[in-house]
Every structure is written in C-alpha cells, then in structure tokens.
C-alpha cells in the first residue's frame, strides 16, 4: 500500500475553529515526509488559512523542479442548507457538509464568492451556502460528497436511499466529471474508543459504492484529517 500514490483531499487545520488541531506547517511537512505530492486544505466553512498554506508551500517548493514540487489544493468543507441560504433560520435548520475544491483560477474565484456569501448572507450558526449558489458558481470547482455529515450519507443513515440517489444525480448533472463520491473508513482498535462511526461508515459506503457504480460516478477515498499524529502531546505541570 505504501507504493500507491495518495493525496489527502479532506484536511482540517487549526483554522477549523474548535475542531482541527494541526497547524498548516505541520500538515504540509507531514505530507511531504510521507511522500505525498500535495494536500487539499478544507477547513470548516472558511478559507482563513489559505494564504498561509499557499505561502508555506511556495517556501517549501523553492529551488525544486516542477516534478518535485508539492501541490497546494485550495478548498473548503462548506455547509449546504436544505433549501435557500436565506430561509429556515430556526432551530430545525438542516445543513450538510460538502467538500469544494478549486481546480483552477476560475474555480478559486468562484470558491471565494461562495464562501464570502455564506458568511454575509447565509450565516446562521455556521456560514451556509445552498445548491442554487453552487450551481451558479460551478465553473472550475471539484465537488466531493464529504463525510457522514454530508447530504448523501445523512439520507442513507435515515433510510431514505431514494433521496440520496436523487441528490447524487443532481450533483452529477450539475458538475459532471468534477463530482466525486467520497468514501471514508476510520477503523480504530484503541481501547475504549467509539466504534460507532466505523460501523456507520461501512454501511453507508456499501450504498455509496452501489449507487456510484450504477450511475458511473467516480469514487475517491479520503480521511477526515484533524491531526498530524495519533500521539497526543505530553502535558506538563508547573
């Protein structure tokens, strides 16, 4: 497995506030040390770390050939509300995770517009977008279906497979070959660890794989990265 190229496309830094722990230099250095050719930065609802990310990678790439350079992929794990971003701002409001990546300059500018509007017009507990905004700014964007917090997994876990398939087809029709169904398997053998997530992921993946193959949609594997190491920092007392 170590010889198979892998790029993390679902990565949270310390800019995923109260959620991610890793600093951007730690993430980049770890990926380079592991032999990866790039990573995507996909913080929750924001692009706060993008400038630091890009600048640090530029520094690491200094003096390297194009073949040796590490690739920074700019993205965001956005919150997509069930209806319009200006509607249903109450306690029953639903929002789903979605990985949005910029594949070129046009995509970068569209991602900036989406994230900015999510904060200025769509903010309710989280900066939110909607499918109408995503469709209007789709040029240059790559979309991945995200983790268990994504729309497809949520419908599958609720037993509504038809709705999951309907939304999968909407994303395929809107983004074409730039839409990917995302699979995650976070198994743990640590004592006292919560294994419910892995059980849910295994069940959800079975449906995602079946539906993606049925509709000829490409699959990707990702990890929901929040740390650079499983080892916890040692705490000291004065």
């Amino acid at each position: 497995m170590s010889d198979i190229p892998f790029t993390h496309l679902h990565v949270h830094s310390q800019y995923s506030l109260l959620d991610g722990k890793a600093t951007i230099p730690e993430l980049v250095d770890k990926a380079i040390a592991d032999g990866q050719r790039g990573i995507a930065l996909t913080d929750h609802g924001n692009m706060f770390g993008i400038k630091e990310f890009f600048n640090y990678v530029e520094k690491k790439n200094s003096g390297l050939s194009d073949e040796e350079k590490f690739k920074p992929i700019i993205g965001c794990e956005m919150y997509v509300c069930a209806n319009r971003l200006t509607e249903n701002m109450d306690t029953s409001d639903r929002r789903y995770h979605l990985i949005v990546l910029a594949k070129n300059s046009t995509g970068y500018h569209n991602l900036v517009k989406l994230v900015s509007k999510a904060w200025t017009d769509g903010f309710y507990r989280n900066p939110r977008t909607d499918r109408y905004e995503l469709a209007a700014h789709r040029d240059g964007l790559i979309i991945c279906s995200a983790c268990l917090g994504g729309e497809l997994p949520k419908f599958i876990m609720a037993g509504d497979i038809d709705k999951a398939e309907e939304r999968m087809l909407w994303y395929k029709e809107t983004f074409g070959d730039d839409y990917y169904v995302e699979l995650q398997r976070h198994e743990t053998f640590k004592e006292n660890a919560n294994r419910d997530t892995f059980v849910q992921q295994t069940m959800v993946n079975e449906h995602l794989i079946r539906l993606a193959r049925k509709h000829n949609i490409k699959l990707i594997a990702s990890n929901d990265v929040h740390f650079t190491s499983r080892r916890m920092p040692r705490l000291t007392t004065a």
Side-chain angles (χ1 to χ4, degrees):
M1 288 295 291
S2 61
D3 295 331
I4 299 176
F6 183 80
T7 298
H8 281 294
L9 298 177
H10 192 133
V11 179
H12 300 285
S13 75
Q14 62 186 15
Y15 292 104
S16 287
L17 306 180
L18 302 178
D19 186 61
K21 176 192 177 295
T23 67
I24 285 170
E26 287 172 347
L27 288 166
V28 173
D29 290 347
K30 174 64 172 169
I32 291 174
D34 287 346
Q36 297 185 35
R37 296 302 307 277
I39 57 170
L41 185 64
T42 59
D43 281 312
H44 280 299
N46 73 68
M47 298 172 69
F48 300 158
I50 292 303
K51 186 174 187 299
E52 181 183 352
F53 179 46
F54 184 83
N55 288 346
Y56 188 74
V57 172
E58 284 283 287
K59 180 181 176 181
K60 299 295 287 188
N61 284 339
S62 179
L64 299 179
S65 66
D66 288 343
E67 292 74 21
E68 297 172 311
K69 286 182 178 178
F70 187 81
K71 184 176 181 63
I73 303 169
I74 294 173
C76 180
E77 185 168 17
M78 300 196 72
Y79 298 95
V80 182
C81 54
N83 297 305
R84 296 305 302 265
L85 59 84
T86 54
E87 297 174 355
N88 294 336
M89 292 188 181
D90 56 37
T91 55
S92 64
D93 178 61
R94 290 172 294 159
R95 74 287 308 273
Y96 307 100
H97 295 192
L98 189 73
I99 295 294
V100 185
L101 307 174
K103 71 174 184 178
N104 52 33
S105 177
T106 299
Y108 169 75
H109 286 97
N110 276 326
L111 180 59
V112 168
K113 291 175 185 176
L114 284 168
V115 173
S116 296
K117 192 168 185 177
W119 282 90
T120 57
D121 295 355
F123 191 91
Y124 180 71
R125 299 185 178 179
N126 299 107
R128 309 172 311 150
T129 191
D130 59 36
R131 288 184 292 127
Y132 303 93
E133 294 296 327
L134 288 166
H137 298 91
R138 64 181 175 270
D139 290 346
L141 294 179
I142 293 172
I143 302 297
C144 308
S145 60
C147 53
L148 290 180
E151 195 166 12
L152 272 58
K154 285 285 190 182
F155 283 128
I156 291 171
M157 288 187 290
D160 196 342
I161 310 302
D162 290 341
K163 193 68 173 179
E165 184 172 15
E166 174 194 310
R167 288 302 163 85
M168 181 185 286
L169 288 173
W170 182 90
Y171 280 105
K172 180 189 178 184
E173 291 166 3
T174 305
F175 293 94
D177 288 338
D178 290 324
Y179 175 60
Y180 296 82
V181 170
E182 187 171 347
L183 306 176
Q184 294 185 347
R185 293 179 74 248
H186 297 135
E187 189 170 14
T188 177
F189 299 100
K190 292 181 69 68
E191 188 178 355
N192 298 324
N194 183 346
R195 294 179 173 82
D196 290 345
T197 296
F198 176 70
V199 173
Q200 291 174 322
Q201 287 173 330
T202 301
M203 182 274 291
V204 167
N205 286 347
E206 291 178 1
H207 290 284
L208 290 176
I209 292 169
R210 178 180 59 82
L211 291 173
R213 288 175 174 168
K214 177 181 177 181
H215 298 294
N216 196 30
I217 299 172
K218 290 170 286 188
L219 295 162
I220 62 169
S222 75
N223 286 329
D224 201 347
V225 177
H226 290 76
F227 307 90
T228 54
S229 171
R230 73 172 69 181
R231 199 171 290 184
M232 295 296 290
R234 213 170 165 184
L235 300 178
T236 57
T237 57

